[in-house]
Amino acid sequence: MSQQKQLIRSFAGGEITPELFGRVDLGKNQTGLAKCLNFIVLPHGPITRRPGTTYVREVKDSSAVGWLLPFAFSASQTMALEFGNLYVRFHTMGAVLAVGTPAAYSGATAYTPGDLVASGGTNYACIANTTGNAPPNAAYWYAQPATGEYEVPTPYTTAHLPDLHFKQSSDVFTIMHPSYPTRELRRAGALKWYTSVVSFAPALAAPAGLAAVNTVGAGTVTYSYVVTAVAENGVDESLAQTPATCTNNLLTAGNYNTITWTASTGASRYNVYKLTGGVHSYIGQASGLTFKDDNFLGDQTKTPPESLFTLNTVAGEYPSTGAYHDQRRCFAGTDNDPQGLVLSRSATETNLTASIPSQGDDAITARIAAQQQNRIRHLVPLTDLIALTAGGEWRIYGGNTETITPSSITIKPQGYSGANNVQPVVTSGSVLYAQARGSRIRELAYNETSQGSTYKSVDLSIMAPHLFNGYTITQLAYASGPDQIAWAIRSDGVLLGLTYVPEHQVYAWHQHTTDGLFESICVVAEGNEDVLYTIVKRTVGGVTQRYVERLSSRMFALLEDAFFVDCGLTYEGAAAASLTGLDHLEGEEVAILANGSVHPRRTVTAGAVTLDASYTKVHVGLPIIADAQTLPLVLDGAQAAGQGTYKNVNEVRLRVYQSSGVQAGPAFNKLREYPSRAVSDPYGSPPALRTGELTLSPDPEWGTDGTVCVRKDDPLPLTLLSLVAVVTTGG
């Protein structure tokens, strides 16, 4: 027999598949884990216990699936949007947005969509412009819940929620689904939200009352004119109305025609076009309502805009996805044209007009020419516009020009992995998406090669296929800080995390469970962190409940602030021994951290628990078990790297940071605990957090693997930096 020490210096490989345990030559095998459950892999190598989730609110109807989507008006004003059957609610900073106390309804007030009023003991939100139509008239008013949550009606039913796609620009949240006209959810104020169907008609109406008169002169030549209205931005231009004509001979000196029209709301000036060579050509601009033509020559390269598209007007023409790119708003994937792409006029969002001959800023239509008729499922703006279909990845760009124009648009395939319908997430320089088949997570990133610029798709699940095989991915979210983590919901309710730092080649998977099923997620910025919100399906007291919960921060200054319970709440105030307000955990056994010390577990009865003493700060929630298991030991310098050799781990030395207690052993049913409290800790105070090396002597167990299991099951933190196994070998 011989004895040696084996150092595991990093866990940055995350959980890897058992199929790789024999690949001792791989670098990932030196940093990977056989199990990483409810631990988060940090980019620089440690693993840290996942913080708990705070209870926010039950969804409106726990019998139906809800869906979370992120909204960010600014860095400091973000919302987790809870979509349910025909409604949307709003959550921020761990609380639900409440109606408050609206002013009483007044029949003399002109109300606009989103306005709140009180009438007859009920609060209402305005859904259409009205004056004098009192609540509860359902054509103009939507009743708010009696429980006080702020709510906006939507047309989306439960069955369609998972396939909603969204894009946001400032305070406009665009929602797309091929079964519904594209809608915008607009934020007009902190408590003024409303939805409306997107209109792709020009923003300005064509001037009415157009007339042409031969003011001076006479003749037999017929002159035809049209006029368009132009907005102050100089970009939005109306369509032309029916031409007005008159006869004259403008070749005669002094002769001229006068064109007049009535004002168009929102117009700053007007463009005038005259029929020249078969098309109405630009002859000038007026700021008033009249124009004098004394034989201006028409510019045939500039003609009135025409509306060429039927997008969003009838069933079959509703986009399923969209994006903002190159100062254009892009849509794709209608039922009638699943591989078709529509881009708005440059510098506009809803202007789908074009001219003949075409101009560089005209709206654009294009189509992916592929062997298979696969719908465009996603449009993603990177350096170029990326289209993802079930059959492949496509790059859409300007060819030899910097921007896309009607005369310069190129569509080329970048790969043939394909994407499912889960909306991808964009990182600092790539897009992460769920593969069409096999439920893997792939990365598409810009790739500069000697053959030119392209995009390369890489399978990020290659080291952990056991986490994906037999499942599907139902939703993705991405947090950029404090750590870069992509989150994914698996079809069985497991939450997967991918610590993702491609510039340092860190792609580390970890899985997370709770007493229930994760069903939906989104990430929004709150304070200095990106925060994960989730809807969790739980069984409480034998009844199915669905709760909106918020992942707590893993950063804390004092041990009493550490939050490591799920679906939990915090009491902070005067010393108390009885805690109420726990109705959402009725009948459940809960873990408790009281003033930084672990308190014996209690069962919630009548929405309350009674403690063994009075405390000023208490966290109460469902217990979390965090498990980590090392890979079979690879012995440096040993024959065959120690494979096939019997091993017994006599001693484990765990290097930890700001941690409190840990259990370790050769198996999860043979664990020994390093106690949280040290002899030096002052009596009556919580155990001090430890940074340094903790030494444990596990129960002996001979085997060929020599793995070490680590567990943390009380509501305290644990960050594991490295592990030394003192191993005896023989046989």
Side-chain angles (χ1 to χ4, degrees), residues 475-639:
Q475 200 171 15
L476 291 170
Y478 178 73
S480 60
D483 302 307
Q484 299 174 57
I485 299 176
W487 298 100
I489 295 283
R490 205 168 67 183
S491 52
D492 62 344
V494 170
L495 176 65
L496 299 179
L498 170 66
T499 302
Y500 173 79
V501 190
E503 60 267 31
H504 294 289
Q505 295 297 301
V506 176
Y507 309 92
W509 288 101
H510 32 99
Q511 54 178 314
H512 304 270
T513 59
T514 187
D515 184 14
L517 305 176
F518 293 100
E519 288 191 331
S520 183
I521 52 174
C522 77
V523 168
V524 295
E526 292 183 353
N528 295 322
E529 298 187 26
D530 283 347
V531 177
L532 180 74
Y533 280 79
T534 180
I535 292 177
V536 185
K537 179 182 178 183
R538 301 189 185 277
T539 301
V540 180
V543 178
T544 296
Q545 304 283 10
R546 286 182 166 91
Y547 296 147
V548 178
E549 301 177 28
R550 176 184 186 271
L551 188 67
S552 298
S553 174
R554 65 178 182 84
M555 311 293 186
F556 55 89
L558 302 173
L559 184 55
E560 65 181 27
D561 297 324
F563 195 95
F564 290 92
V565 293
D566 275 349
C567 200
L569 290 175
T570 297
Y571 169 80
E572 186 172 11
S578 180
L579 305 180
T580 59
L582 298 170
D583 304 80
H584 67 290
L585 293 176
E586 182 67 29
E588 297 297 308
E589 184 182 65
V590 291
I592 302 169
L593 188 71
N595 287 6
S597 296
V598 176
H599 186 284
R601 293 183 181 181
R602 294 285 192 265
T603 298
V604 177
T605 305
V609 293
T610 300
L611 308 180
D612 58 10
S614 295
Y615 300 91
T616 57
K617 191 163 192 176
V618 186
H619 308 302
V620 182
L622 298 172
I624 306 170
I625 297 177
D627 285 342
Q629 183 178 9
T630 64
L631 298 178
L633 279 177
V634 177
L635 301 181
D636 297 333
Q639 189 175 13

Side-chain angles (χ1 to χ4, degrees), residues 120 143 167 190-191 195 209 316 350 399 458 474 478 521-522 578-579 622 672:
K167 293 294 175 184
L191 272 173
T195 69
T350 58
V458 177
T474 61
Y478 178 73
I521 52 174
C522 77
S578 180
L579 305 180
L622 298 172
R672 285 192 178 181

Side-chain angles (χ1 to χ4, degrees), residues 157-312:
T157 61
T158 300
H160 290 137
L161 297 180
D163 292 324
L164 294 181
H165 286 197
F166 71 93
K167 293 294 175 184
Q168 187 186 341
S169 175
S170 187
D171 56 359
V172 179
F173 190 83
T174 305
I175 311 168
M176 294 154 285
H177 190 288
S179 298
Y180 299 87
T182 295
R183 280 184 172 262
E184 292 175 339
L185 173 64
R186 287 185 173 267
R187 177 194 181 278
L191 272 173
K192 187 172 182 178
W193 301 69
Y194 61 93
T195 69
S196 59
V197 174
V198 177
S199 171
F200 291 100
L204 299 178
L210 180 66
V213 177
N214 57 348
T215 309
V216 175
T220 59
V221 179
T222 299
Y223 298 92
S224 174
Y225 301 93
V226 295
V227 176
T228 62
V230 181
E232 186 175 0
N233 61 15
V235 176
D236 289 317
E237 184 178 2
S238 74
L239 301 178
Q241 74 288 73
T242 303
T245 61
C246 66
T247 58
N248 203 338
N249 185 2
L250 298 183
L251 294 177
T252 302
N255 288 1
Y256 68 89
N257 298 331
T258 301
I259 303 95
T260 59
W261 57 90
T262 59
S264 181
T265 302
S268 174
R269 46 198 180 278
Y270 301 87
N271 286 343
V272 182
Y273 301 86
K274 181 169 68 176
L275 188 66
T276 307
V279 295
H280 282 92
S281 306
Y282 178 78
I283 59 172
Q285 190 175 84
S287 58
L289 303 177
T290 183
F291 185 86
K292 176 183 175 181
D293 176 23
D294 56 1
N295 202 29
F296 285 108
L297 295 177
D299 180 358
Q300 291 182 298
T301 66
K302 185 176 182 180
T303 59
E306 298 180 12
S307 183
L308 306 179
F309 314 109
T310 57
L311 198 66
N312 221 40

